[in-house]
Amino acid sequence: MEFLSACLSSAVSSFSQHLCGFICSAFGNPLAFESNYSHLQQGLERLNDLKSRVDRNHDESVPGVNDWWINVEQTGCKMSPMHAKIEANKKRCCGGFKNLFLQSREVAEALKEVRGLEVRGNCLANLLAANRQARAVEHMPVESIDRQPAASKNLATIMDLLKDDEVRTIGVWGQAGIGKTTLVKNLNNMLKDASSTTPPFSIVIWITVSREWDHKSIQVQIAQRLKMEEKTKESPESLAARICERLKREEKFLLLLDDVWKEIDLDALGIPRPEDHAACKIILTTRFLNVCRGMKTDREIPIHVLKDDEAWKLFCKNAGEAAILEDVEPVARAITKECGGLPLAINMMGTSMRKKTSKHLWEYALKELQRSVPHNIYGVEDRVYKPLKWSYDSLQGNNIRSCFLFCSLYPEDFSIVVNELVQCWLAEGLLDVDEQQSYEDIYNSGVALVENLKDCCLLENGDDDRSGTVKMHDVVRDVAIWIASSSEDECKSLVQSGIGLSKFPESRLTPSLKRISFMRNALTWLPDSQIPCSEASTLLLQNNNKLEIVPEAFLLGFQALRVLNLSNTNIQRLPLSLIHLGELRALLLSHCRSLNELPPVGRLSKLQVLDCSNSGILKLPEGMEQLSNLRELNLSGTQELKTYRAGLVSRLSGLEILDMSNRNCRWCLKTETNEGNAGLVEELGCLERLIVLMVDLNGTTHPFSEYAPWMERLKRFRIRVSGVHGRISHSLVALHNQEFWALFEKSLITDRLRNEDGKFEERELLLSGLDLSGKLNGCLLTCAAVLELEDCMGLNNLFDSVGGFVYLKSLSISSSNVRFKPTGGCRSPNDLLPNLEELILMRLDSLESISELVGSLGLKFSRLKVIMVLFCPKLKYLLSCDDFTQPLEKLKLIYLADCSDLSDMFIYSSGQTSMPYPVAPNLQKIMLRELPNLKTLSRQEETWQHLEHIFVRDCTSLKKLPLNEQSANTLKEIRGEQEWWKQLEWDDLVTSSSLQPLFKGPEWWH
């Protein structure tokens, strides 16, 4: 029985195990249900987190991501109804035993599926993260700029801007071949190096835009960089939406747009707006400043040509050791100079001359470069000229292209006066204007065109940033000559300017030429034959100072000539054949000092500009009164022109600009004494279109009331009014040596300072030897920008009578015993000179302080940049700081000379002053000469942290300067005598030693 019982028990147990195994296999393990269900819920949470990670880093470059993502979505859909059933079953009696068995199996299978997806998802997430780190920045092959100081500085500037949250878009602009792309590629690689530690951007996207582009082509590049799925026949709008959503998932991205030729609509590309994604940055490179403006860049980085030492190092790097051979190096340096600091040209020329050791080959290459059309140097046209020509081709309209090519007629490195350019462009018919417009409007359109060419990097500012001049980069000029010489249209030119030509190349003049330039050479003669240039519209012969004769037959071949320039030549007369130039618009004869007379000009009916300034003409030519289209007449400096026919000027009805300044002949009223060499002011009043006037007038006691009615039309003027004893200008020969140099320095300073911010608009009034004590009125006084008062009486009345001078920027008072005193002893309640920038006081024998003027006129000096006080023997101090409640923040320069009593520059009351210090916190330059009693420049505790230049001569009592150790960071030079420098007192040795290298001896001005 026991055996039977044991067998039965064993059989039942085995049957139970198999039955349970079958049930668990068929319906799931109910005992593990709760555990599996809990693990399933946890797994789903982890899967959702993983899904978010993979979604954020979605990258089609990793296969299987889309399939996994779809499976996760499907699994999630299946889980929802199963979860609902389980929760409902829990509410039934005993938990619903049957349902428990069934759901246990579902849970087990779901858990297995979720765990599989989780394993696969983790694998994909890791692949995406690794792939993402590898591709955040793609390395770009490029020449390093580590040893190029200028480029490295620009690179550092851009890196700083990338860290600035206020700067989103950066424009890098400059002419072709100057190194914009090289700079930004170096930036890209620097970011790649940084990404190995803490990536500054989650992705950097490099896009080459180029000249011919459309939005779709750029979008495709962006999508490829983001590894986005390509969809055939997808519209740009759809792709833009996908790109936008994809970029929004980036934590921080940088978009580099290289070689942008015109404005790009970033919205159309799909680039998120700042309000949608504040962490994105955009850098673009372009040749055109207008592109930066159109794309609303927050900062623009202009790229300039290399300096000589950098250019030479770059050339040697490309040319190798051959460039530094003893007999080759001078020629190699000359070739480098011809490249004009343009990296593209330097690299190409250096490479082309690599391993060439023959001096003759180098000299030949130099000559070819100097020809501007170097057909025999391999690669110049394809690798240098053609890329630069694209900028020319991008100019909209033939006129602006012709204007650009016209600039190449001038010599290399030549600063072209903008006014002369506009004259020639107008004469050539290149300005898109109605010739009935005022000359002012036409001039403004010409200036706008110049600015357009500058923005396109095809023109640049003239030397020393001289206001009103431009020039062409050497290589850009070569490209322009190359274009013009090969052109078969209206721009075909022959340019032989500034090459030392002594013999006229008659054989090179052909009927197809439109423009011819032989300016700035050594020509001594012109052929006495008819030259076959019947289509030529411009002939430039200026600055051939040995040229004495223009033969009669020479001009007969130039029937279509519109511009003839013979300025700065030694010609004595013009041939009668001039009258056959019926199309002539501009006749320029400036500084022809040997020229005594002109032939009759009545037949030149289309003439618009006649410039005889500083010439030797004795009388005006016959027929001038017939020049009804004459707009500009310049007779300034014609000292030999003593008389001219009465009524002649008044008959030039179209005249808009008249310059008759700096001449022996002065204008006067009918009521004044006419000495036979004076014009009548009433004639000027007949010129109804006159808007610019430069003239010398005889003065009266009240000179302005008579002139006011017609002078109100003037937009610009430079008028000198002299009384009986007035001096029109100083005779520098008669001045003492020290006074000569002081005045010379004054003119240099004012010229340089005005050129920094642009020259003052020409509204200059110079009064000399006048009594201004009577009642005064008139627009000239109130609207002048520059007012010079020399040897005038009644100065206190001038300011009281006229009231405010709101347009005045420069005031000069000289040669007077005036003491400025407030009316009735009270300070003026208003600042009568609110926009004053320059104050120049000379030879004021009674002046003790500028504070006299401050009190009399209520001056605040809120815009004052320059103070000059010269030859004021009783000046005791410059200013009392009690006159001001605010520092003179705009003041840049102080120049004091020959004021023997001056002991302090600024004085302060014994009590607490309201003036914060320093008085002039942004002072950059101080010049002190012949001030034997000057002891202090400032308070003991003051330092002038922005000083850059200090010039001191013969100031033996000055023992201390307002400088400290930190001053060495901004100071550029200290000049003075060795004895003075040695006796200076310093607060500590550190300051003395840090400033010692900046002391450069006694040279005063350089």
Side-chain angles (χ1 to χ4, degrees), residues 164 306 353 407 458 522 648 657:
D164 189 341
L306 300 180
M353 299 307 294
C407 298
L458 295 175
L648 187 151
I657 300 174

Side-chain angles (χ1 to χ4, degrees), residues 572-608:
Q572 299 173 12
R573 63 180 182 83
L574 283 175
L576 191 60
S577 56
L578 179 73
I579 66 174
H580 297 295
L581 304 182
E583 295 297 317
L584 196 64
R585 265 78 166 175
L587 179 58
L588 308 178
L589 303 168
S590 174
H591 290 87
C592 293
R593 300 192 182 278
S594 299
L595 181 64
N596 300 130
E597 62 177 329
L598 298 178
V601 295
R603 291 173 62 179
L604 304 180
S605 60
K606 296 182 180 180
L607 195 65
Q608 296 175 336

Side-chain angles (χ1 to χ4, degrees), residues 877-889:
Y877 61 91
L878 193 64
L879 282 169
S880 169
C881 292
D882 296 340
D883 294 328
F884 305 96
T885 58
Q886 296 296 323
L888 309 181
E889 294 190 349

Side-chain angles (χ1 to χ4, degrees), residues 852-921:
E852 297 176 18
L853 197 62
V854 171
S856 177
L857 305 182
L859 303 181
K860 294 182 174 61
F861 288 156
S862 58
R863 296 177 180 269
L864 192 67
K865 297 179 181 179
V866 180
I867 295 178
M868 297 188 202
V869 184
L870 314 176
F871 308 105
C872 295
K874 293 186 178 181
L875 189 76
K876 300 185 183 305
Y877 61 91
L878 193 64
L879 282 169
S880 169
C881 292
D882 296 340
D883 294 328
F884 305 96
T885 58
Q886 296 296 323
L888 309 181
E889 294 190 349
K890 300 287 186 180
L891 191 60
K892 291 183 178 181
L893 181 144
I894 297 175
Y895 177 23
L896 305 175
D898 294 271
C899 300
S900 55
D901 277 3
L902 182 69
S903 59
D904 301 284
M905 187 172 294
F906 302 107
I907 65 167
Y908 311 87
S909 64
S910 56
Q912 181 67 32
T913 177
S914 59
M915 162 66 84
Y917 62 86
V919 179

Side-chain angles (χ1 to χ4, degrees), residues 208-226:
T208 300
V209 180
S210 73
R211 187 180 177 192
E212 301 297 333
W213 63 271
D214 55 46
H215 285 96
K216 186 66 180 285
S217 66
I218 298 176
Q219 286 178 314
V220 168
Q221 290 187 68
I222 295 173
Q224 289 174 346
R225 179 72 179 92
L226 295 172

Side-chain angles (χ1 to χ4, degrees), residues 428-440:
E428 280 259 16
L430 300 180
L431 297 180
D432 188 17
V433 295
D434 180 355
E435 292 197 1
Q436 296 305 311
Q437 289 179 251
S438 72
Y439 195 85
E440 180 184 33

Side-chain angles (χ1 to χ4, degrees), residues 168 244 247-248 250 267 271-280:
R168 181 181 184 244
C244 187
L247 288 175
K248 284 181 181 179
E250 295 292 340
D267 290 337
I271 308 302
R273 287 180 170 271
E275 57 267 25
D276 297 328
H277 200 312
C280 71

